[in-house]
């Protein structure tokens, strides 16, 4: 039982590690279920079924979202942020598929242009993770930048996702902007008995890495493919981490609409460590 866990020593650190992993897994439940359905649909769903695979994925994604709300794993307030993630992501998908950045399997009726509607739920899964991890770990931020500054940078990042196809790509300038804006910001997260610290920039990079891993699973399952994968699946280039790192900035700004960043409690008695 966790209540009987030691407060110090190697066993205490092990308990904190296991609880951290369990909380992270619980925060990822939306994305994990959606990824599981994507893989299962590729492995076992018949290609000639009356209901197209893409439409099945849309219905499954809706069912997962309804289940999250009915099970009170997400609140109505959090749903609004997830809907915004969905809209922002779908807008990007419509443009990116039109310029050939990636493509989806044909078929089904639940789509807009060449974009099946389940694609928006992949962005919603990121939003679900962000709002749930905020609550599960009681996130607090030391020296968090002004919200309006982060919003300006996030807006510039979103615009660049479109404009870099026609004018100069300033993604590295935007990466530098993120580094400058968040250079001094530190995230405090409570696990079990202890509260830990992590640079916000490191958390951006780690989440981007896990999204990249999920992206490789999704493309291997054929949910969508990049041009270099048309002749056969290949690993998504590590350079995509830059895009996901930039996306993290947009994601964090959207979440601040529901959970404005709070400073660590000056009177807190929890033990604070650095990972």
């Amino acid at each position: 039982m966790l209540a009987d866990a030691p407060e110090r020593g190697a066993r205490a650190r092990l308990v904190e590690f296991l609880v951290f992993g369990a909380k992270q897994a619980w925060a990822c439940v939306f994305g994990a279920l959606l990824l599981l359905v994507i893989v299962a649909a590729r492995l076992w769903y018949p290609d000639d079924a009356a209901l197209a695979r893409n439409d099945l994925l849309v219905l499954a994604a809706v069912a997962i979202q309804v289940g999250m709300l009915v099970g009170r794993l997400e609140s109505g307030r959090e749903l609004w942020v997830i809907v915004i993630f969905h809209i922002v992501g779908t807008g990007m998908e419509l443009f990116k598929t039109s310029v050939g950045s990636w493509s989806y399997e044909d078929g089904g009726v639940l789509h807009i242009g060449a974009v099946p509607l389940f694609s928006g739920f992949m962005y919603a899964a990121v939003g679900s993770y962000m709002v749930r991890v905020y609550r599960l770990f009681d996130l607090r931020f030391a020296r968090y930048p002004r919200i309006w500054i982060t919003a300006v940078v996030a807006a510039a990042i979103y615009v660049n996702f479109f404009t870099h196809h026609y004018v100069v790509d300033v993604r590295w300038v935007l990466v530098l902007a993120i580094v400058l804006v968040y250079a001094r910001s530190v995230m405090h997260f409570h696990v079990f008995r202890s509260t830990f610290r992590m640079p916000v920039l490191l958390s951006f990079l780690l989440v981007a890495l896990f999204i990249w891993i999920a992206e490789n699973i999704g493309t291997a399952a054929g949910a969508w493919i990049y041009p270099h994968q048309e002749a056969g699946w290949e690993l998504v280039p590590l350079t995509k981490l830059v895009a996901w790192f930039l996306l993290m900035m947009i994601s964090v700004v959207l979440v601040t609409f529901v959970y404005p960043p709070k400073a660590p409690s000056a009177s807190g008695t929890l033990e604070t460590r650095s990972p």
Side-chain angles (χ1 to χ4, degrees):
M1 296 293 291
L2 289 178
D4 300 325
E7 297 186 9
R8 296 186 180 278
R11 289 183 59 195
R13 290 191 291 272
L14 177 61
V15 168
E16 294 288 346
F17 175 76
L18 293 175
V19 173
F20 174 82
K23 283 188 173 183
Q24 284 287 348
W26 192 229
C28 293
V29 65
F30 190 139
L33 289 174
L34 183 57
L35 194 60
L36 181 64
V37 171
I38 288 172
V39 172
R42 173 57 60 183
L43 292 177
W44 297 299
Y45 195 72
D47 292 336
D48 58 352
L51 179 67
R53 182 182 287 108
N54 284 347
D55 289 350
L56 171 72
L57 294 177
V58 175
L59 298 177
V62 171
I64 293 170
Q65 182 63 83
V66 171
M68 296 287 287
L69 291 171
V70 172
R72 298 186 178 180
L73 301 182
E74 292 169 355
S75 68
R77 183 185 178 193
E78 291 168 346
L79 178 62
W80 282 110
V81 174
I82 294 169
V83 169
I84 294 174
F85 270 84
H86 197 129
I87 294 171
V88 168
T90 300
M92 188 184 303
E93 289 286 328
L94 287 168
F95 177 80
K96 289 292 189 178
T97 54
S98 71
V99 297
S101 295
W102 55 79
S103 60
Y104 290 91
E105 180 182 50
D106 293 332
V109 297
L110 301 177
H111 59 86
I112 302 176
V115 180
L117 295 183
F118 79 82
S119 66
F121 285 95
M122 294 187 290
Y123 294 88
V126 176
S128 175
Y129 168 79
M130 296 292 291
V131 294
R132 284 171 55 72
V133 81
Y134 202 112
R135 281 191 288 109
L136 288 170
F137 288 94
D138 188 23
L139 298 187
R140 304 296 175 99
F141 301 89
R143 298 181 296 277
Y144 195 86
R146 294 184 181 277
I147 297 296
W148 72 267
I149 295 177
T150 65
V152 168
V153 176
I157 290 170
Y158 191 67
V159 170
N160 187 68
F161 277 131
F162 297 87
T163 59
H164 83 265
H165 290 276
Y166 307 109
V167 296
V168 62
D169 186 355
V170 295
R171 71 180 62 194
W172 290 110
V173 175
L174 294 169
V175 169
L176 178 60
I178 295 174
V179 171
L180 292 175
V181 168
Y182 282 96
R184 300 175 61 248
S185 185
V186 177
M187 180 177 69
H188 294 237
F189 56 99
H190 181 63
V191 180
F192 177 48
R193 288 197 176 106
S194 299
T195 297
F196 297 82
R197 294 189 302 263
M198 176 185 293
V200 170
L201 289 172
L202 178 58
S203 71
F204 284 5
L205 182 59
L206 291 175
V207 175
L209 176 61
F210 278 100
I211 294 176
W212 177 79
I213 293 171
E215 181 180 40
N216 275 285
I217 297 173
T219 55
W224 73 98
I225 58 171
Y226 291 101
H228 76 280
Q229 297 172 325
E230 290 179 357
W233 184 82
E234 297 179 22
L235 200 68
V236 176
L238 274 171
T239 52
K240 283 289 291 182
L241 279 173
V242 177
W244 291 120
F245 182 82
L246 293 172
L247 178 69
M248 285 307 304
M249 180 71 182
I250 299 174
S251 302
V252 168
V253 170
L254 291 177
V255 172
T256 58
F257 295 152
V258 171
Y259 293 118
K262 296 180 180 179
S265 174
S267 60
T269 57
L270 293 173
E271 180 184 0
T272 302
R273 304 172 182 169
S274 297

